[in-house]
Amino acid sequence: MFVSTAYAQTAAPAGGGDMLVQFLPLILIFVVFYFLLIRPQQKKMKEHKAMLGNIRRGDRVVTGGGIIGVVTKVGTDDELTVEIAENVRVRCVRSTVNLVLAKTEPTKPGDGTAATVEGEAKSAATPAAGGIGKLFGRK
């Protein structure tokens, strides 16, 4: 009397529209991950690789271990010689460089002037300075 009769529902036919609706959230999540995580990381890796490729003598660099030094020699393939203190040079792998603090400007051929460093003035050799120019506080 108070109980109503229950009828079985018929199964909906499996169609392509329902599959798209089911996979749409997964597709949207992948798109969001691509634009927020994957693409910026690829861009950052590309910039880092370009930075490593442009390292040259005179650049101030920070290694992976936090050591700050000046590149004195760019060796063959993947090797750099970095001076970390006066007359203290270490060889390191190019890929361990995390950051280039100061880049040297390329010299112009036939100019006869040495490279200068951005952000740090290289004093000219004048009689008042004793004829000794300083670079990074060294004589």
Side-chain angles (χ1 to χ4, degrees), residues 59-75:
D59 291 350
R60 285 187 58 202
V61 296
V62 179
T63 65
I67 297 173
I68 299 173
V70 179
V71 177
T72 57
K73 181 182 175 186
V74 179

Side-chain angles (χ1 to χ4, degrees), residues 13-90:
D18 291 335
M19 292 293 278
L20 180 65
V21 170
Q22 288 177 353
F23 284 115
L24 189 63
L26 293 174
I27 293 169
L28 289 175
I29 289 172
F30 179 76
V31 168
V32 168
F33 269 89
Y34 177 76
F35 283 107
L36 293 180
L37 296 174
I38 298 170
R39 192 168 164 226
Q41 186 66 24
Q42 287 176 343
K43 184 179 178 184
K44 192 174 185 180
M45 285 175 43
K46 190 181 217 182
E47 290 173 357
H48 188 260
K49 188 175 181 179
M51 178 199 65
L52 292 178
N54 292 330
I55 291 177
R56 59 179 166 255
R57 201 176 90 218
D59 291 350
R60 285 187 58 202
V61 296
V62 179
T63 65
I67 297 173
I68 299 173
V70 179
V71 177
T72 57
K73 181 182 175 186
V74 179
T76 58
D77 297 328
D78 203 23
E79 195 173 293
L80 300 171
T81 302
V82 179
E83 185 170 347
I84 57 175
E86 198 168 322
N87 294 325
V88 178
R89 294 188 176 130
V90 293

